[in-house]
Amino acid sequence: MPEKAADGAVIWNGFITDITEQKQSQEKIHQLAFYDDLTGLPNRRLLDYRMGLVQAASSRLRSYGAILFIDLDDFKRLNDTMGHSVGDELLKTLARRLEGRTRSVDTVARLGGDEFVVILDRLGNKENEAAQRAGLVAEDIQAIITQPVNLPQHEHRCAASIGITLFQGDVDSREELLRRADTAMYQAKADGRNSIRFYNPELQRRMERQFRMEAEIRQAIDSDQFFLHLQKQVGGNGKLIGAEALLRWNNPSLGMVSPMEFIPVAEETGLILPLGNWVLENACRILKDWEQEAATADLSLSINVSARQFHQKDFVRQVQRAIDEHKVSPDRLKLELTESLVLEDIEDSMDKMEQLHALGLHFSMDDFGTGYSSMAYLSRLPFDEVKIDKSFVQNAARDRNQRDWVIIEAIIGLASNLNMRVVAEGVETQTQQSYLCHLGCRCFQGYFYGRPKPVEEFNVAIKSQFHGTESS
Ligand code: C2E
Ligand code: MG
Ligand code: MG
């Protein structure tokens, strides 16, 4: 309370505190809470808050906005090879560039690692134009990211994959919008480095199915939802020479899922390792079973091996263990590998194939003609067999100018010069079979000879056919 002095002047009593320090520490707390430590850009929390504001404005003005999700390509490799401090320097430089290039109404934030998000505000009321503007900003961002950065030992050139999603108003939650931009960014990555992709709901549905599938595959391994089908392989005279094991999945909620759909998911998530082992174990069981019967004792069994499975460190040991455990003859087991698998790491492929070959196993090059078809490698690797991809066999039947027949003939010539057997896949008709035969192909697989069948059914048919021919 003020007091009055004798002369009537008002005297104020009080303390004067210097609050500079307090102010500074409040600012520091604010900085820590809302800004990224390394780059000084807004962090996830502030991004979320700003998105809320932008969505509210967009709702009022009915104008479009966009979220750009930016992820650097190959940043991890730079970090691992050059060290984290160099990686940090690079991120700081790029952060400054991003800030410099966007308008003041836009927000540039760092989510962490090498991920940045840009919110573009007020892109107009027309969706097309908004998309065009967002695309131009993304291209601009890409251009400034790819400009060289001077690092201590060298000049580095970055690249970035950018995913974009548009929004209007606040109907979609902030998490949902970020997720969409992230999905589009993944698509950009999948389509090759340094690309820009817009969110696409169809793609989203596919990805959701994949996520769901991942969880389901884990469960399916434990609850016996996988089983094998066997498909005949026959020689020129129609004699059965073996079979290919094809994986099948009957899922209680998704129904029958094609291996074309679940094998890539299993590859990506690493679930192919237990799954591939399951196939190997079961193939050995089938072979053991076959050994006991005259009808099947001479047959060989082919299994498909995926890249991640094959390139595991102890793949050779796993195969050896399965063979030893089931006491089967290794020369009845054939591993089908694709060209891309082999070429992914040629040294490793060569090394493993030689070890497995020494154990007595055989190799077949699957889907030949669809990959790089590197003749030089084919001759250096211990392949016993080449499978002509079914697309050639099927196109050839339709192709008037017979281009595919020429390719087939070349494959047959090449393989026979290298002493390899040729199996034509996907043979569906008598005409196809006759043509293939005419070109010198002697082994076949396809619906014309039999569709893939459950193991039991396959065995019963083979045995009854064998005993039928024996008694006739
Ligand atoms: P692939 O190894 O090239 O197998 C041949 C595919 O052609 C099989 O498809 C088979 O059912 C199909 N097919 C056979 N004959 C014909 C025919 O006359 N016409 C037509 N149109 N198709 C025919 P499926 O079973 O859907 O398998 C697809 C692919 O999935 C396989 O191609 C293989 O790459 C992969 N896959 C299957 N089982 C396994 C497995 O156990 N492990 C791994 N890693 N991949 C597998
Ligand atoms: Mg195959
Ligand atoms: Mg094939």
Side-chain angles (χ1 to χ4, degrees):
M1 279 292 275
E3 289 170 23
K4 275 222 166 126
D7 62 0
V10 177
I11 303 172
W12 289 88
N13 289 319
F15 303 100
I16 295 175
T17 316
D18 182 358
I19 59 161
T20 319
E21 221 170 279
Q22 197 184 337
K23 257 278 202 242
Q24 278 174 345
S25 74
Q26 272 172 358
E27 264 168 27
K28 181 87 192 141
I29 290 169
H30 177 78
Q31 182 74 20
L32 284 176
F34 293 108
Y35 293 87
D36 170 48
D37 224 13
L38 178 73
T39 60
L41 290 179
N43 63 13
R44 190 183 280 270
R45 196 174 291 135
L46 186 51
L47 172 79
D48 189 60
Y49 173 73
R50 298 240 178 111
M51 267 173 82
L53 296 182
V54 170
Q55 278 191 295
S58 155
S59 183
R60 252 189 347 267
L61 304 166
R62 303 305 307 148
S63 73
Y64 279 91
I67 308 285
L68 273 55
F69 203 111
I70 305 163
D71 187 290
L72 301 183
D73 296 328
D74 283 343
F75 178 72
K76 191 181 171 310
R77 211 178 50 197
L78 174 101
N79 232 355
D80 291 347
T81 51
M82 307 283 294
H84 287 236
S85 58
V86 173
D88 285 355
E89 270 318 302
L90 180 86
L91 291 174
K92 281 198 254 179
T93 308
L94 295 181
R96 293 288 81 75
R97 288 185 188 174
L98 285 173
E99 256 181 341
R101 254 328 152 92
T102 39
R103 303 169 303 174
S104 57
V105 287
D106 302 327
T107 295
V108 182
R110 177 172 174 239
L111 283 195
D114 58 346
E115 291 176 345
F116 297 90
V117 168
V118 175
I119 315 172
L120 301 178
D121 195 7
R122 300 175 199 197
L123 294 174
N125 300 72
K126 295 200 177 100
E127 193 177 10
N128 267 353
E129 285 172 14
Q132 211 171 12
R133 285 189 193 148
L136 286 175
V137 175
E139 280 176 9
D140 212 27
I141 287 177
Q142 243 177 1
I144 59 164
I145 288 180
T146 46
Q147 276 164 20
V149 180
N150 284 321
L151 293 178
Q153 278 148 33
H154 74 301
E155 199 184 71
H156 185 76
R157 263 178 204 278
C158 292
S161 301
I162 305 181
I164 307 176
T165 191
L166 293 182
F167 61 86
Q168 189 185 34
D170 51 7
V171 276
D172 297 307
S173 72
R174 306 201 280 270
E175 298 81 57
E176 173 62 22
L177 290 179
L178 268 186
R179 207 162 53 80
R180 288 181 184 175
D182 190 23
T183 304
M185 186 280 291
Y186 266 98
Q187 187 59 44
K189 279 237 186 282
D191 292 347
R193 286 162 47 93
N194 213 20
S195 342
I196 298 169
R197 290 290 173 275
F198 276 85
Y199 168 75
N200 158 351
E202 175 51 38
L203 174 76
Q204 177 68 18
R205 268 193 292 280
R206 233 179 28 231
M207 294 212 16
E208 273 161 12
R209 189 170 151 95
Q210 278 194 8
F211 282 130
R212 202 167 130 208
M213 207 176 275
E214 180 185 338
E216 304 260 358
I217 294 174
R218 278 179 211 283
Q219 256 187 18
I221 298 177
D222 299 328
S223 54
D224 285 341
Q225 291 170 19
F226 287 106
F227 57 100
L228 290 176
H229 269 181
L230 296 178
Q231 187 179 30
K232 279 182 184 175
Q233 293 176 332
V234 303
N237 47 6
K239 188 176 177 301
L240 185 68
I241 52 174
E244 176 176 4
L246 295 158
L247 192 53
R248 295 289 176 263
W249 180 19
N250 192 1
N251 176 280
S253 55
L254 300 167
M256 282 295 279
V257 189
S258 158
M260 305 289 266
E261 198 176 348
F262 71 80
I263 296 278
V265 179
E267 265 263 301
E268 207 167 289
T269 53
L271 289 166
I272 194 68
L273 305 183
L275 204 49
N277 240 321
W278 182 93
V279 173
L280 182 63
E281 288 285 323
N282 280 278
C284 288
R285 272 195 202 112
I286 295 170
L287 277 175
K288 191 74 219 162
D289 210 35
W290 281 1
E291 271 180 18
Q292 331 285 325
E293 292 265 349
T296 46
D298 294 333
L299 302 182
S300 68
L301 183 61
S302 302
I303 59 171
N304 294 282
V305 178
S306 80
R308 187 143 175 197
Q309 188 188 355
F310 183 81
H311 292 301
Q312 286 173 95
K313 255 206 183 89
D314 65 342
F315 180 68
V316 175
R317 224 194 40 194
Q318 286 175 23
V319 175
Q320 178 154 32
R321 210 205 47 227
I323 286 172
D324 291 348
E325 221 163 75
H326 294 274
K327 299 192 177 57
V328 291
S329 164
D331 68 349
R332 299 262 164 252
L333 187 59
K334 200 180 287 169
L335 305 185
E336 293 196 1
L337 311 178
T338 59
E339 294 166 272
S340 56
L341 173 154
V342 170
L343 295 180
E344 200 172 277
D345 185 345
I346 185 80
E347 295 306 323
D348 185 55
S349 305
M350 225 176 259
D351 181 42
K352 288 201 170 103
M353 284 181 78
E354 269 156 21
Q355 291 184 50
L356 289 164
H357 197 64
L359 290 178
L361 276 98
H362 293 288
F363 289 99
S364 175
M365 181 158 270
D366 204 357
D367 307 337
F368 191 73
T370 56
Y372 305 89
S373 304
S374 169
M375 309 297 169
Y377 287 126
L378 187 62
S379 63
R380 282 168 59 197
L381 293 163
F383 276 105
D384 309 276
E385 178 182 289
V386 169
K387 294 182 89 172
I388 305 177
D389 189 64
K390 59 176 178 291
S391 60
F392 291 106
V393 174
Q394 285 164 7
N395 288 342
R398 269 176 256 135
D399 190 0
R400 290 228 178 132
N401 66 25
Q402 315 247 313
R403 219 189 50 225
D404 291 282
W405 289 121
V406 175
I407 296 176
I408 293 175
E409 197 170 10
I411 297 176
I412 295 171
L414 170 83
S416 75
N417 283 330
L418 294 172
N419 270 330
M420 293 177 193
R421 168 197 269 174
V422 181
V423 179
E425 282 189 294
V427 181
E428 292 182 354
T429 65
Q430 174 75 63
T431 321
Q432 289 168 355
Q433 193 259 6
S434 312
Y435 265 119
L436 287 159
C437 224
H438 174 72
L439 295 178
C441 184
R442 296 287 169 265
C443 303
F444 313 92
Q445 183 182 337
Y447 297 166
F448 181 60
Y449 303 93
R451 290 193 174 246
K453 287 193 183 79
V455 180
E456 264 314 296
E457 204 180 304
F458 180 92
N459 287 343
V460 168
I462 300 305
K463 284 171 196 168
S464 78
Q465 210 175 5
F466 180 80
H467 294 300
T469 27
E470 227 183 11
S471 57
S472 64

